[in-house]
Amino acid sequence: MRGTLMDIPTYDDMLAAHERIKPHIRRTPILRSDYLSELAGAELYFKCESLQEPGAFKVRGASNAVFGLNEEQARKGVATHSSGNHALCLSYAAGRRGIPCNVVMPRTAPKAKKDAVRRYGGTITECEPSTSSREETFAKVQAETGSEFVHPYNDPRVIAGQGTCAKEMIEQTDGLDMVVAPIGGGGMVSGTCLTLSTLAPETRIIAAEPEQADDAFRSFKAGHIIADDAPETVADGLKVPLKDLTWHFVSNHVTDILTASEQDIVDAMKITWKYLRVVMEPSSAVPLATVLKNKDRFAGKRVGLVITGGNVDLDKLPWLT
Amino acid sequence: MRGTLMDIPTYDDMLAAHERIKPHIRRTPILRSDYLSELAGAELYFKCESLQEPGAFKVRGASNAVFGLNEEQARKGVATHSSGNHALCLSYAAGRRGIPCNVVMPRTAPKAKKDAVRRYGGTITECEPSTSSREETFAKVQAETGSEFVHPYNDPRVIAGQGTCAKEMIEQTDGLDMVVAPIGGGGMVSGTCLTLSTLAPETRIIAAEPEQADDAFRSFKAGHIIADDAPETVADGLKVPLKDLTWHFVSNHVTDILTASEQDIVDAMKITWKYLRVVMEPSSAVPLATVLKNKDRFAGKRVGLVITGGNVDLDKLPWLT
C-alpha cells in the first residue's frame, strides 16, 4: 500500500458493474456431474466461465473497465499486460466498444491466446516471461499511446466486474456452503470476496493454487505479500503475484488457500473434460484438484467451483505430452 | 416393413415420454459461439446433449423405455445391441431403476464407452463389428435372459424419447428455421421429425451424415432403405443403417440429407472444441461440418444443431493421430 489510499470497490460498485456489463457477457450455466460429485463426496456446482464468448471470466472485469470509460478516455483506448485471458478479454471488450487495445504479453504465452487477441483487434507487444520485463515493456507502450491502463486484477473496476460471477452463482443455486476459485493475482478471488461478504457471508471462500506457484499460500500464512518472479506451472494463468488491492480481499475474507501438485492438476483437468465434458484450462482444474485432495474438508457440502477459462491449445494437451 | 403393422409413435407419446423421463434426464443448455455463427454466416444454436449425465441424447429414449416397463418386464431387465451411447445410456437408465441390463457391443467399440457401460452396471457380451454378427450374438443373449429388447433406434419408445430433445430446443429458442442432426440409424432424426412436424412444422429438418457412411443419403435419394455392412468413419456413432420405423420418419419429414468428408468432420470437431468449448464426439461434429460446407443453404437462418454426445477417448483425439 506504500502510504497510498486504495480505491477499494464496494458491493454497490459490483451491482453497478453487473448492470453495465450485462449486454456484453453471458450468464454462464452451472453444470453438474453426478459422477464427479460422487468422487468428491460433495455436491459440486461448476460455474462455467469458459463458456463466455472470449472463453474466460476476465471478460467481466474487462467489460466493466471498458464500458465505464468516458468518451475522452475511450478515444485513447486501453492498455494492459497479461499472461493471457485478460489480454484477450480486454481486446474483446475494446472491440465491442470500437476502441484501441494495446497488450503486452510474454513471448511464451500460449499461441491460442495470442491469436485470439489479434482476432479481437488487439495490438500485441511481446516481453520476456518475467514480471520485471513485463512491467518495463508496458511502461514504454503506455507512454507512447496514452491509453488507459486496465491492470489484469489490481484494479477496482476489474475486481467489481469479476465479483458479478459470484452473484450469479448464488442466484443460480439454492446457496452454497463454499466457493473454490483458482488464485493467481487474485482478481477472481477478490471479486468473490467482495460479493459474498455481503450477499452470502456464511459461504466460505477457498482459494486454490498450484504448489509450484504457491506465493498466495505463503503470503496468506505469512500475513504479507510474497511475490515470486516467473514461477513454472502447467496452470499458466496463475503465475502472477498478489497486489495491494487483491491482498486486501484475500487477507480479510478468504477462509483458506489449498494447493495442488502438477499431476493433481492435470488429472483433475482430464476427468473434468471426461465427465463434465467441458473444454477448460489447467488453471481451471486447480479447484477440483484441491477438493479431491482434501475430501474431508468438503464432505457433504454444497461446493461451487469456478471454471475460469477454456482457452487451450488443443494440439498440446498436458496429459498427452 | 415385411407386411407387419408398425407401431408409429405419436406426438402424445412424445409428450408422455417427456413427463416420464424428466426426473432422469437434464434439460441441457443451448450454447452459442458468436465466432462460429460468423464463420457459418448463420445464427447457430447448439443443443448440448453431450451434457447429459451419461453424455448422450440416447438417455432420453432409453429412460422412456426403462421407466415405461411394467413390474414383471422390469424384473427380467432390458437388453440391446449398440455401437456405444445407447448401450451406456440404457445401462444408466436401468441402473437408476435398479434392473439388469444386457448389452451386445462390437469388440472394436471405444474403450471409454465399454468402461461406462460397466460403471453403470451393464453386462457386456462382445461381437464382431458387423451388423450380422451383432444381431446373431444378440439373439443368443436375449434367449438366455428373457429381457426386454430395447432397440437403439427402431423402437417407438426410443423415438418418442429422442423427440423430447427437439421439444426443448423449440422451448429454449424463439423458434428455429432449421434443425440439423446427425443421422446413423435415424433415432434422433426420427424423434425430431415426430416433434417438429406437429410443434413447429415450418422448421426444416436436415440430416447430416459422413460421406463414408452415407447409406441414409443414398436411401433418401433412392426412395427405399439401402443398408451397408460395417462402413468405416471417424463418426463411430453413425455406422448403423436405417430401419422401418426410422425410414418412415426420414422419408416423410426430412427436408434433405447432407454429407461431410472425414476431414470436414474432424475440422468441425476441433473448432467446436476450440470456440464452443465443449467436449463432443466426432458424430456430433457432422452437422456443423455440413453447415460450413453448404453455407448458402443456411445463410442468415436460425439453425439448431444437435450435439448428440460427448463420450470421447481423450487419449485418441482424431486431429492428433
Side-chain angles (χ1 to χ4, degrees):
Chain A
M1 289 172 63
R2 302 187 211 93
T4 62
L5 188 67
M6 285 192 300
D7 187 11
I8 297 171
T10 66
Y11 187 75
D12 283 347
D13 291 335
M14 185 280 296
L15 293 177
H18 213 196
E19 285 308 305
R20 182 179 292 125
I21 70 179
K22 266 183 183 163
H24 309 292
I25 65 159
R26 296 206 176 106
R27 189 178 175 87
T28 56
I30 286 184
L31 299 181
R32 306 205 55 192
S33 158
D34 295 346
Y35 179 80
L36 292 179
S37 286
E38 283 163 28
L39 195 65
E43 292 180 49
L44 306 185
Y45 296 81
F46 294 92
K47 175 68 168 168
C48 294
E49 289 293 291
S50 49
L51 300 175
Q52 295 288 356
E53 178 67 22
F57 77 89
K58 297 202 173 198
V59 70
R60 296 175 182 269
S63 297
N64 191 42
V66 163
F67 286 92
L69 295 179
N70 66 34
E71 286 304 317
E72 191 186 333
Q73 288 170 318
R75 266 191 300 276
K76 292 181 184 169
V78 287
T80 198
H81 50 72
S82 160
S83 59
N85 279 329
H86 176 66
L88 64 91
C89 288
L90 192 68
S91 300
Y92 173 80
R96 285 184 70 99
R97 187 158 176 186
I99 66 175
C101 181
N102 299 292
V103 176
V104 171
M105 289 182 92
R107 59 173 173 73
T108 53
K111 182 172 177 301
K113 291 182 180 174
K114 288 183 189 169
D115 289 349
V117 165
R118 293 194 182 101
R119 187 157 52 78
Y120 294 138
T123 304
I124 297 175
T125 306
E126 294 194 346
C127 66
E128 292 306 302
S130 70
T131 304
S132 49
S133 166
R134 185 159 54 188
E135 294 185 345
E136 188 182 316
T137 310
F138 179 73
K140 282 185 207 166
V141 168
Q142 208 197 354
E144 286 166 15
T145 60
S147 51
E148 174 77 11
F149 178 29
V150 182
H151 191 280
Y153 50 92
N154 200 51
D155 182 308
R157 302 164 297 184
V158 170
I159 291 172
Q162 318 307 33
T164 62
C165 178
K167 175 168 175 274
E168 292 178 12
M169 288 179 84
I170 297 298
E171 289 168 355
Q172 291 170 302
T173 60
D174 297 324
L176 294 166
D177 297 314
M178 291 150 151
V179 168
V180 190
I183 191 160
M188 166 51 71
V189 168
S190 294
T192 304
C193 292
L194 167 60
T195 296
L196 297 186
S197 59
T198 294
L199 183 63
E202 72 287 359
T203 303
R204 275 166 285 171
I205 300 163
I206 311 285
E209 193 174 38
E211 272 172 22
Q212 291 190 196
D214 69 344
D215 54 286
F217 171 81
R218 285 179 287 126
S219 302
F220 191 72
K221 299 300 174 196
H224 59 87
I225 297 178
I226 298 170
D228 297 329
D229 203 38
E232 267 311 310
T233 169
V234 67
D236 55 69
L238 306 180
K239 296 179 180 180
V240 290
L242 295 168
K243 296 273 184 184
D244 56 359
L245 261 182
T246 53
W247 173 245
H248 166 81
F249 286 101
V250 169
S251 58
N252 281 295
H253 297 292
V254 163
T255 304
D256 208 351
I257 298 183
L258 302 174
T259 62
S261 71
E262 298 294 291
Q263 190 60 53
D264 291 339
I265 295 168
V266 173
D267 289 348
M269 179 180 175
K270 190 176 180 187
I271 63 172
T272 308
W273 283 47
K274 181 165 181 174
Y275 295 107
L276 197 67
R277 302 183 184 90
V278 296
V279 169
M280 63 157 184
E281 303 175 14
S283 302
S284 301
V286 184
L288 182 61
T290 61
V291 168
L292 293 177
K293 205 179 145 190
N294 298 276
K295 288 187 186 182
D296 53 323
R297 298 281 293 267
F298 299 94
K301 304 290 186 190
R302 296 169 57 84
V303 183
L305 298 91
V306 185
I307 295 191
T308 44
N311 293 314
V312 185
D313 185 341
L314 293 172
D315 295 317
K316 290 182 186 170
L317 296 174
W319 58 83
L320 295 176
T321 55
Chain B
M1 290 170 59
R2 302 186 210 91
T4 62
L5 188 66
M6 284 193 298
D7 186 10
I8 297 172
T10 65
Y11 188 75
D12 283 346
D13 292 335
M14 184 280 295
L15 293 177
H18 212 196
E19 286 307 308
R20 182 178 293 123
I21 68 179
K22 266 182 184 165
H24 309 292
I25 65 159
R26 296 206 177 106
R27 188 178 177 88
T28 55
I30 288 185
L31 299 182
R32 307 205 58 192
S33 157
D34 295 347
Y35 179 80
L36 292 178
S37 286
E38 283 163 27
L39 195 66
E43 291 180 49
L44 306 185
Y45 297 83
F46 294 90
K47 175 70 166 167
C48 294
E49 289 293 291
S50 48
L51 300 176
Q52 295 288 356
E53 179 66 24
F57 77 89
K58 296 199 173 201
V59 70
R60 296 174 182 270
S63 298
N64 190 42
V66 163
F67 287 91
L69 295 179
N70 65 35
E71 286 303 318
E72 192 186 334
Q73 290 170 316
R75 269 191 298 276
K76 293 180 184 169
V78 287
T80 198
H81 51 71
S82 159
S83 58
N85 279 330
H86 176 65
L88 66 93
C89 287
L90 192 66
S91 301
Y92 173 80
R96 283 185 71 99
R97 188 160 174 183
I99 67 176
C101 181
N102 299 292
V103 176
V104 172
M105 289 182 94
R107 60 173 172 74
T108 54
K111 182 172 177 301
K113 290 182 182 174
K114 289 183 189 169
D115 289 347
V117 165
R118 294 194 182 102
R119 185 156 54 79
Y120 294 138
T123 304
I124 297 175
T125 305
E126 293 195 348
C127 67
E128 291 307 301
S130 71
T131 303
S132 49
S133 166
R134 183 159 56 190
E135 293 184 345
E136 189 181 315
T137 309
F138 180 74
K140 282 185 206 163
V141 168
Q142 207 195 357
E144 286 164 14
T145 60
S147 52
E148 175 76 9
F149 179 29
V150 182
H151 191 281
Y153 49 93
N154 200 51
D155 182 309
R157 302 165 294 185
V158 170
I159 291 172
Q162 319 305 35
T164 62
C165 178
K167 175 168 175 275
E168 292 178 12
M169 288 178 85
I170 298 300
E171 290 167 354
Q172 291 169 301
T173 59
D174 296 324
L176 295 166
D177 297 313
M178 294 152 148
V179 169
V180 191
I183 192 160
M188 167 50 71
V189 168
S190 294
T192 305
C193 291
L194 167 60
T195 296
L196 297 186
S197 60
T198 295
L199 183 63
E202 72 286 0
T203 303
R204 277 166 282 172
I205 299 162
I206 311 285
E209 193 174 38
E211 273 174 21
Q212 290 189 196
D214 70 342
D215 55 284
F217 171 81
R218 284 179 287 125
S219 302
F220 191 72
K221 300 300 175 194
H224 59 88
I225 298 177
I226 298 171
D228 298 330
D229 203 37
E232 267 310 311
T233 170
V234 66
D236 55 69
L238 305 180
K239 295 179 178 179
V240 290
L242 295 168
K243 296 273 183 184
D244 56 0
L245 260 183
T246 52
W247 174 245
H248 165 81
F249 286 101
V250 169
S251 60
N252 281 295
H253 297 291
V254 163
T255 303
D256 208 350
I257 299 183
L258 302 174
T259 61
S261 71
E262 297 295 290
Q263 189 61 53
D264 291 339
I265 295 168
V266 174
D267 290 348
M269 180 180 174
K270 191 177 180 187
I271 63 172
T272 308
W273 285 45
K274 180 165 180 173
Y275 296 106
L276 198 66
R277 304 184 183 90
V278 297
V279 169
M280 63 158 186
E281 303 175 15
S283 301
S284 302
V286 185
L288 181 62
T290 63
V291 168
L292 293 178
K293 204 179 146 192
N294 298 274
K295 288 188 185 181
D296 52 322
R297 299 280 294 269
F298 300 93
K301 303 292 186 192
R302 295 169 58 85
V303 183
L305 298 91
V306 185
I307 295 190
T308 46
N311 293 314
V312 185
D313 186 341
L314 293 173
D315 294 317
K316 290 182 185 168
L317 297 175
W319 59 81
L320 294 177
T321 55

